[in-house]
Amino acid sequence: MELLEIDTGDTAWVLISAALVLLMTPALAFFYGGMVRAKSVLNMLMMSITTMGIVGVLWIAVGFSMAFGEDIGGGILGNPFEYMFLNGLMSADAVVGTIPTAVFAGFQAAFAIIAVALISGAVADRMKFSAWAVFAAVWALVVYFPAAHWVFSFDDSVSANGGFIANSIQAMDFAGGTAIHINAGAAALALALVLGPRLGFGTVPMRPHNLTLVMLGAGLLWFGWFGFNAGSALGAGTLAGVAWVNTLGATAAAMLAWLLVERIRDGHATSLGAASGIVAGLVGITPAADSVSPLGALIIGALAGAACAWAIGLKTKLGYDDSLDVVGVHLVGGLVGTLLIGLLADPASPAETAGLFYGGGVDQLWRQFLGAAVVLVYSFVVTFVIAKVLDKVMGLRVPESSETHGIDTAVHAETGYDLSHVGYSTYGVRQTLIVPAREEAHS
């Protein structure tokens, strides 16, 4: 590997981008938290926030090494011991491109965290918090870290030999359409199927309790996503600029497309639709931000917004309860963006690859399809097995009483909104209503 000199401007940009990507997980917590019912908002926030702790520790311990260490199995896995506890990354000689390897490791840590947190939206209102914590750790180790190696670990970047999707299949994924969104979406479907639907699914209204939180979360996700995509350039230059502009254009187009679908289908353009369209566009452009023109980005965004707006209705038709539409937005949006690279990749873009519409034939299209299919199938099958095992060992689902009265008080002994003088406490499995003395006097 050629050792390049560290560029302080590039390093500063990637450090800022890493912070922006890390911000996306609290943003996701707000986005998901506003979409659940009030009795579950704290649990939803906790699932995302605690994932930062679980995956953060695992990434430093073995995750970075599993993802970017020297390949030990035909492009399947990096050596988990090579960079264990980020050993060797404090050296001035540890460089990736023009940035310190430690900075790259921190940037990728934020990716790993949000990839796991995304799955939680599919199991809102009904999964044990303890089961989620164990699932998050196991899934990161068995599914995400290997998939990150396949997709993100290029030969002669961190290590001499990397993953098979990046180097053998040569599927293009600039910032995580396959490794993060298709991966998390497929896992969300498997976990939701094992867990089963919420009580009253399909018959009881389960409307978002706080659309203000949803809009706040969507806005912060859009803000943080500029670090997600433009930061993946690993430098402050033309590539970062193209990714930034494409991220803006695709997201704007997706939001408008979702609202248009809503207006035609339902007669109303909603704030929830606008927020969901924003996320759909961000997901769609993530794999393609470096390989399409701004026009291509608008097309990807519009198609992702329309496709995801349609796809969220599948759970009702097919009977699986993906509570907050992780499958409909992240799996479908990730597939749209990943596959459209094969059609819309522009040779004038920084990626310098031609898709079908630019005279490149179907070569890149089949590579995109194969890369997406490998991650989707692996994630679904392995997640299904993990969920089944955990269900047998510790149980995945809270008791019906906890689901009915709310996970916040049953599991966390707290409420999201303390708006009355009636307090709640939890002792063991009993929920106790504490009535102030002045109310007892009037009863």
Side-chain angles (χ1 to χ4, degrees), residues 156-385:
D156 296 322
S157 55
V158 178
S159 300
N161 299 290
F164 74 99
I165 291 179
N167 300 292
S168 298
I169 296 176
Q170 296 181 355
M172 299 171 66
D173 184 1
F174 183 61
T178 52
I180 295 176
H181 298 290
I182 292 174
N183 196 2
L189 178 59
L191 188 56
L193 288 174
V194 175
L195 197 60
R198 289 166 289 179
L199 297 176
F201 173 68
T203 60
V204 176
M206 298 180 181
R207 293 186 294 271
H209 88 282
N210 191 328
L211 288 168
T212 304
L213 279 185
V214 174
M215 294 295 281
L216 173 64
L220 288 173
L221 282 169
W222 196 348
F223 176 69
W225 223 289
F226 288 114
F228 200 81
N229 287 354
S232 292
L234 301 184
T238 300
L239 177 55
V242 170
W244 198 103
V245 170
N246 283 344
T247 300
L248 173 68
T251 309
M255 177 177 61
L256 297 178
W258 190 301
L259 291 175
L260 181 61
V261 169
E262 274 194 331
R263 182 67 177 84
I264 295 171
R265 182 186 62 198
D266 308 324
H268 302 282
T270 68
S271 60
L272 179 60
S276 300
I278 287 170
V279 177
L282 292 166
V283 171
I285 197 58
T286 291
D290 70 326
S291 59
V292 300
S293 68
L295 173 60
L298 292 177
I299 295 171
I300 288 176
L303 292 177
C308 294
W310 167 80
I312 62 170
L314 290 177
K315 66 181 182 183
T316 303
K317 295 177 182 178
L318 300 179
Y320 65 88
D321 187 7
D322 169 24
S323 306
L324 307 183
D325 300 313
V326 183
V327 177
V329 174
H330 294 276
L331 178 56
V332 172
L335 286 170
V336 168
T338 297
L339 296 177
L340 283 179
I341 292 173
L343 303 178
L344 298 172
D346 187 340
S349 71
E352 299 180 341
T353 298
L356 179 63
F357 295 165
Y358 287 83
V362 297
D363 179 69
Q364 194 60 45
L365 180 60
W366 78 260
R367 295 178 189 276
Q368 297 304 117
F369 174 81
L370 184 57
V374 167
V375 173
L376 193 161
V377 172
Y378 177 81
S379 180
F380 180 85
V381 172
V382 176
T383 303
F384 194 88
V385 172

Side-chain angles (χ1 to χ4, degrees), residues 52-71:
M52 298 174 75
I54 294 166
V55 180
V57 169
L58 288 175
W59 183 257
I60 290 173
V62 295
F64 178 76
S65 196
M66 291 173 68
F68 294 99
E70 177 66 24
D71 184 77

Side-chain angles (χ1 to χ4, degrees), residues 8-55:
T8 55
D10 292 344
T11 301
W13 168 239
V14 178
L15 283 170
I16 292 169
S17 295
L20 288 172
V21 180
L22 192 62
L23 175 67
M24 290 169 61
T25 298
L28 180 74
F30 285 130
F31 181 72
Y32 280 170
M35 290 175 68
V36 297
R37 290 168 287 180
K39 62 185 180 180
S40 303
V41 57
L42 287 180
N43 180 255
M44 201 70 255
L45 294 171
M46 282 285 285
M47 291 174 86
S48 287
I49 297 302
T50 53
T51 298
M52 298 174 75
I54 294 166
V55 180

